[in-house]
Amino acid sequence: MSHPTRNPDTRTLATVAHTAFFLLLGASLLRFLLRHPGEPRTPWIIALSITLALLYVLGPALGAAPTARRLLWLGLVVTTWVVLVVLAPSFAWCAVPLFFTALRTLPPRAAVVLVALLTGFVVIAQLKLSKSFDPNLLLAPPAVAALATAVFVHMERQAQAQRELIDDLIRTRRELAATERREGTLAERQRLSMEIHDTLAQNLSSQQMLLQAADRTWDTDPATARAHVRTATGIAAHGLAEARRLVHDLAPSELADGAGLAEALRALDAGPDIEVRFHLEGAPAPLPDRVQSALLRIAQGALANIREHSGARTAALTLSFLGDQVVLDIADDGHGFAEPRTGAAERGHGLPAMRARVRQLGGTLTIESTPGEGTVLSAAIPLEPAP
């Protein structure tokens, strides 16, 4: 049996159970004081009632998981309640909220055994209070305990089924997204291969044929050879234009239509559960296209890692223009990770790809992370001095 702490229905049931416990405890103490004024055991009853209330208040702070401290706390609560019921049987009905506490804390079988023992103790206490045999006192407590246990178990099973369904949906969504990415990558590769074949490859093949023809006729027919060379030169110029067009098409779409790097970074998103903030420091300077493209790709990759692995709630992007270099810092408040040993291979493709992008531009990539304290990734790329 799981012990969810964030389920709204479980929180509501816990609030109702806690309120019922203190109401029953107060009513039982008031009943005892009204019916047994001035008895020698009264100070003990009052002290035990206060002790039980204080112990019960400590429960939520220990969580619902069956840890050693939680089990010790449950044992102290049950023991105090048993002693209290022995001295004053009217406190027996405080066991009903304790049923819920036992079911939340213990594994299913142990919880059912404890509920059965508490129910038997309640029956004995009620029969002790009664002056004559009453079948209701014998049957009502087990019926209430069985109903409470059945309702709780049913709610737990429904919550577990919902959690499993949500996990399946999330897993399916990720698989579909991965499949779509793979299909998109394959389609883009096919498009690029067709573009290269129909433009660059054909141009290069034509140039080769023209230059070979010029070489064959260079001595016998110089005019024709020079015509072949001029034609090959024109084809080379056309191929260069096509190559530039392909490179432009491969640039990030976020930087299309003259959009600057700062605007593209400000528009980045890491999903509905992560707040992304952007900060610009220093006086913005014109950046080469390849620098803008590299920094944008690094930011996108870092946010993808934050979304998939960090458990962060916020991420901060800071673009700093420092005169001779531009620096992009990506910080998150996730659980962080232990940095690998020097020389150890990095897992995955994200970080190695970022390092390769920065290294091609003569820059450096640094990562600082500590378990439980988030991660900071910094990419610094030198800039050529303005003329």
Side-chain angles (χ1 to χ4, degrees):
M1 183 182 299
S2 60
H3 305 280
T5 57
R6 297 183 179 179
N7 187 289
D9 294 334
T10 302
R11 289 200 299 267
T12 301
L13 183 58
T15 302
V16 172
H18 297 335
T19 304
F21 176 82
F22 288 109
L23 288 175
L24 291 171
L25 182 63
S28 300
L29 178 59
L30 182 60
R31 179 181 184 276
F32 176 83
L33 294 177
L34 292 176
R35 295 201 175 188
H36 307 280
E39 284 199 9
R41 55 180 172 162
T42 299
W44 288 101
I45 297 298
I46 296 175
L48 287 171
S49 298
I50 295 175
T51 302
L52 183 58
L54 293 176
L55 284 172
Y56 198 85
V57 167
L58 292 175
L62 300 177
T67 60
R69 289 192 303 172
R70 178 76 177 180
L71 295 177
L72 177 61
W73 168 83
L74 180 61
L76 291 175
V77 169
V78 172
T79 302
T80 305
W81 173 78
V82 168
V83 175
L84 195 56
V85 173
V86 170
L87 295 177
S90 58
F91 284 85
W93 283 108
C94 292
V96 176
L98 293 181
F99 293 164
F100 171 74
T101 302
L103 290 168
R104 288 189 72 221
T105 303
L106 298 175
R109 292 184 180 179
V112 171
V113 171
L114 182 57
V115 168
L117 292 175
L118 294 177
T119 304
F121 204 74
V122 170
V123 171
I124 295 172
Q126 292 301 306
L127 292 176
K128 183 178 178 181
L129 281 176
S130 178
K131 296 180 180 179
S132 60
F133 177 76
D134 186 348
N136 284 335
L137 299 179
L138 184 62
L139 300 177
V144 172
L147 179 62
T149 303
V151 169
F152 183 85
V153 171
H154 178 68
M155 288 182 59
E156 287 286 274
R157 289 177 177 173
Q158 281 191 325
Q160 180 64 26
Q162 290 177 352
R163 286 192 296 274
E164 292 176 355
L165 178 60
I166 292 173
D167 291 341
D168 289 340
L169 290 175
I170 293 175
R171 184 166 54 252
T172 301
R173 185 177 65 179
R174 289 176 177 173
E175 292 174 354
L176 287 175
T179 301
E180 291 176 355
R181 285 195 297 270
R182 287 194 297 269
E183 292 177 352
T185 301
L186 292 175
E188 183 65 12
R189 287 179 177 175
Q190 183 178 10
R191 184 187 72 83
L192 288 175
S193 65
M194 294 173 61
E195 288 274 356
I196 293 172
H197 176 270
D198 294 340
T199 57
L200 299 181
Q202 293 288 359
N203 288 340
L204 290 173
S205 176
S206 298
Q207 291 176 58
Q208 183 183 32
M209 293 175 61
L210 288 168
L211 292 175
Q212 288 175 347
D215 182 63
R216 288 194 300 269
T217 60
W218 192 264
D219 295 327
T220 59
D221 190 355
T224 302
R226 281 193 287 269
H228 289 329
V229 172
R230 286 194 295 269
T231 303
T233 302
I235 293 176
H238 180 71
L240 180 60
E242 287 292 335
R244 287 173 175 168
R245 182 186 65 81
L246 286 175
V247 172
H248 181 270
D249 290 343
L250 290 175
S253 60
E254 295 85 350
L255 297 174
D257 300 327
L261 178 60
E263 289 77 10
L265 292 175
R266 186 177 284 109
L268 290 182
D269 169 73
D273 298 326
I274 302 177
E275 179 185 3
V276 179
R277 302 167 184 165
F278 174 75
H279 306 280
L280 179 63
E281 295 183 0
L287 296 176
D289 291 343
R290 59 176 186 164
V291 173
Q292 295 190 70
S293 177
L295 291 178
L296 180 60
R297 294 305 190 202
I298 289 171
Q300 291 171 329
L303 290 179
N305 286 341
I306 291 172
R307 180 176 60 250
E308 294 293 333
H309 307 296
S310 73
R313 305 300 299 174
T314 60
L317 303 179
T318 304
L319 181 64
S320 304
F321 289 88
L322 305 178
D324 60 342
Q325 65 177 347
V326 59
V327 180
L328 176 64
D329 297 313
I330 303 106
D332 67 75
D333 60 354
H335 48 63
F337 60 91
E339 296 187 41
R341 301 185 309 274
T342 302
E346 293 175 325
R347 293 179 297 176
H349 302 283
L351 291 178
M354 294 180 197
R355 293 191 188 279
R357 290 182 185 275
V358 174
R359 188 166 52 248
Q360 289 172 358
L361 298 173
T364 57
L365 183 77
T366 58
I367 301 173
E368 297 179 3
S369 183
T370 303
E373 297 182 8
T375 302
V376 178
L377 182 147
S378 180
I381 298 178
L383 298 178
E384 296 181 0

